[in-house]
């Protein structure tokens, strides 16, 4: 039996709940101090959660995206930053699982992720006008013989300092067009990070998403064999929108639970009288169900399309995935705002069982994390030629 044996004998939801308990304990301190949620990450690693989506032959558990999304929901209820770190790591894993197939370097690397519970960061955002435009790069990989070198002015690399490896987008070579991109994973020891910006933000403070000049040197085979255009269209965009939405739903669910507890406590104090917040709890429950339905239907659509490049490349699929991100990122703010109105000052204060400040601040990142305007702009172009599918069973 491996060291992982006793833990992985337990169900994934059970292990996620145990890690979430630790994340919840430190969530307010992580938020207040704007520090990396190291206790939560240690707990996730102890629960062997980092490699669950990797196939069993490489040491993982072959968990589905829906199962991983459910872990994100559980973590999101405890600590938005911890859940976001976990979700971003799994977005990289999803890409590597499907788009590094046949690469000996990546098989060994994914094995290491499982064995050593490595954490993978991501550097797509770039200075020089690229911003959140995932599908364009200025920097380029420089391949000489078997060696690849890369320097990137990365405006945001979440948990850059805490990462064990970072997946970076760039142009294929110095002569390539901005959209002719590749993606490369560099492991700790192969890169240096020169900090350029701090991360003192409204919310998601524990993601420590600082800016860095990223300089790396590795082996040529670390450049992913498939073009980044394919990885982004068929995996990264959809998986990002689904896992982010799952954890955002978790944040909103915890806010709802606090609002509901507030009303229940008020009802106990005055038996026979319905507290004024009760109607608003019902409204919040309705909105929360819309968020859940959005995420569940998106996950179903993704699992059905998985492995079928035509389905994953379809405009209707891209429109649906974009809509999940837009809908969820907007609706969670309304849900949490309802909860704030329900709890009143007890929700506004930072030191009560009904405090909602962290939830609201974390939730505000959702609309900016790839700007909703950018996503809507992309959808609007597709809708010039594509008709949404009206079918409920298709
Ligand atoms: C918590 C958090 C963690 C993050 N972690 C990472 C990470 O690990 N790695 C990483 O690479 N990035 C990360 N990001 C960055 C993120 O994914 C986006 O790239 C970034 O937030 C975009 O920055 P921006 O708003 O300055 O730029 P832009 O996307 O350029 O947007 C700036 C403004 O311009 C407008 N705009 C720009 N272009 C368009 C357009 N085409 N159509 C309509 N409007 C437009 C938007 O309305 C927006 O308000 C993270 C962000 C957050 C919030």
């Amino acid at each position: 039996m491996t060291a992982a044996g006793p833990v992985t004998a337990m169900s994934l939801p059970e292990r996620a709940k145990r890690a979430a308990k630790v994340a919840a304990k430190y969530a307010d301190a992580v938020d207040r101090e704007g520090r990396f949620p190291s206790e939560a990450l240690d707990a996730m690693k102890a629960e062997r959660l980092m490699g669950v989506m990797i196939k069993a032959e490489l040491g993982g558990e072959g968990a589905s995206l829906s199962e991983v999304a459910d872990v994100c929901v559980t973590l999101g209820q405890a600590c938005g930053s911890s859940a976001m770190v976990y979700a971003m790591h799994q977005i990289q894993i999803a890409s590597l699982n499907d788009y590094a197939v046949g690469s000996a370097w990546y098989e060994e690397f994914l094995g290491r992720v499982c064995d050593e519970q490595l954490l993978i960061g991501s550097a797509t955002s770039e200075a020089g006008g690229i911003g959140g435009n995932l599908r364009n790069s200025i920097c380029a990989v420089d391949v000489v013989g078997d060696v690849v070198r890369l320097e990137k002015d990365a405006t945001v690399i979440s948990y850059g300092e805490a990462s064990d490896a970072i997946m970076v987008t760039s142009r294929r070579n110095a002569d390539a067009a901005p959209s002719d991109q590749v993606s490369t994973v560099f492991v700790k020891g192969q890169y240096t990070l020169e900090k350029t910006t701090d991360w003192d933000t409204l919310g998601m403070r524990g993601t420590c998403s600082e800016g860095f000049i990223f300089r790396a040197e590795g082996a040529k085979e670390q450049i992913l064999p498939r073009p980044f255009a394919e990885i982004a269209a068929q995996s990264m965009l959809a998986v990002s929108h689904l896992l982010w939405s799952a954890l955002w739903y978790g944040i909103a669910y915890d806010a709802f639970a606090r609002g509901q507890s507030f009303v229940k406590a008020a009802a106990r104090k005055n038996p026979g009288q319905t507290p004024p917040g009760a109607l608003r709890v019902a409204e919040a429950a309705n909105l929360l169900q819309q968020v859940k339905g959005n995420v569940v239907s998106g996950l179903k659509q993704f699992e059905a399309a998985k492995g079928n490049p035509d389905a994953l490349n379809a405009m209707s699929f891209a429109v649906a995935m974009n809509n999940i991100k837009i809908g969820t990122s907007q609706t969670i703010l309304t849900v949490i705002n309802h909860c704030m109105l329900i709890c009143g000052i007890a929700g506004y204060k930072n030191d009560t069982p009904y405090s909602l400040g962290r939830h609201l601040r974390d939730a505000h990142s959702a609309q900016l994390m790839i700007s909703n305007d950018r996503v809507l702009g992309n959808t609007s172009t597709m809708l010039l030629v594509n008709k949404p599918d009206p079918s409920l069973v298709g």
Side-chain angles (χ1 to χ4, degrees), residues 302-313:
F302 181 81
E303 307 272 17
K306 201 169 181 310
N308 177 350
D310 287 345
L312 291 169
N313 280 330

Side-chain angles (χ1 to χ4, degrees), residues 84 88 92 121-126 129-134 152 154-160 169 199 203-205 207 209 244 362 364-366 368-378:
M84 183 53 85
M88 286 195 276
Q92 316 313 314
S122 155
T124 57
S125 303
E126 190 173 3
I130 296 288
N133 185 357
L134 184 81
K152 178 166 187 164
T155 47
V156 194
I157 307 182
S158 290
Y159 52 94
T169 49
W199 183 254
M204 286 293 178
R205 294 171 57 79
T207 61
S209 308
W244 291 345
D362 284 351
H364 266 288
S365 69
L368 322 178
M369 208 165 169
I370 310 291
S371 159
N372 275 9
D373 282 354
R374 211 180 258 289
V375 177
L376 283 170
N378 175 264

Side-chain angles (χ1 to χ4, degrees), residues 337-348:
N337 194 46
H338 268 49
C339 299
M340 189 70 88
L341 291 171
I342 293 163
C343 299
I345 288 293
Y348 196 64

